[in-house]
Amino acid sequence: MSTSRHRAALGEFLDALVTRPQSLGVEGIVVALVAHAQRLPASSRRELARIGAELTERYAR
C-alpha cells in the first residue's frame, strides 16, 4: 500500500473515530483500530501494538 493510501486509510479511520466516538463504544473503537492496523505495513503495526500496550497499562489501573 502506498503512503498516500495509508494516509487516506488513516484519514477515514480518524474521521470515524472523531465523528462517532460515543456510538462506537470501547468495543467499536477496538474493532476500528484492528481494522486500521490490518491495512498497515508490519513495522507500523508493531508501533501501533506498542502504543496500545502503553495505553492499556496506563488506563487499566
Side-chain angles (χ1 to χ4, degrees), residues 1 3 33 36 54:
M1 186 179 280
T3 301
L33 284 169
H36 174 66
E54 287 179 12

Side-chain angles (χ1 to χ4, degrees), residues 43-57:
S43 60
S44 295
R45 287 193 302 265
R46 284 190 295 273
E47 182 64 14
L48 186 61
R50 185 190 64 73
I51 292 167
E54 287 179 12
L55 290 173
T56 299
E57 184 177 319

Side-chain angles (χ1 to χ4, degrees), residues 2-17:
S2 70
T3 301
S4 61
R5 286 177 135 184
H6 287 296
R7 286 188 182 133
L10 178 59
E12 291 172 18
F13 166 76
L14 292 175
D15 287 345
L17 193 58

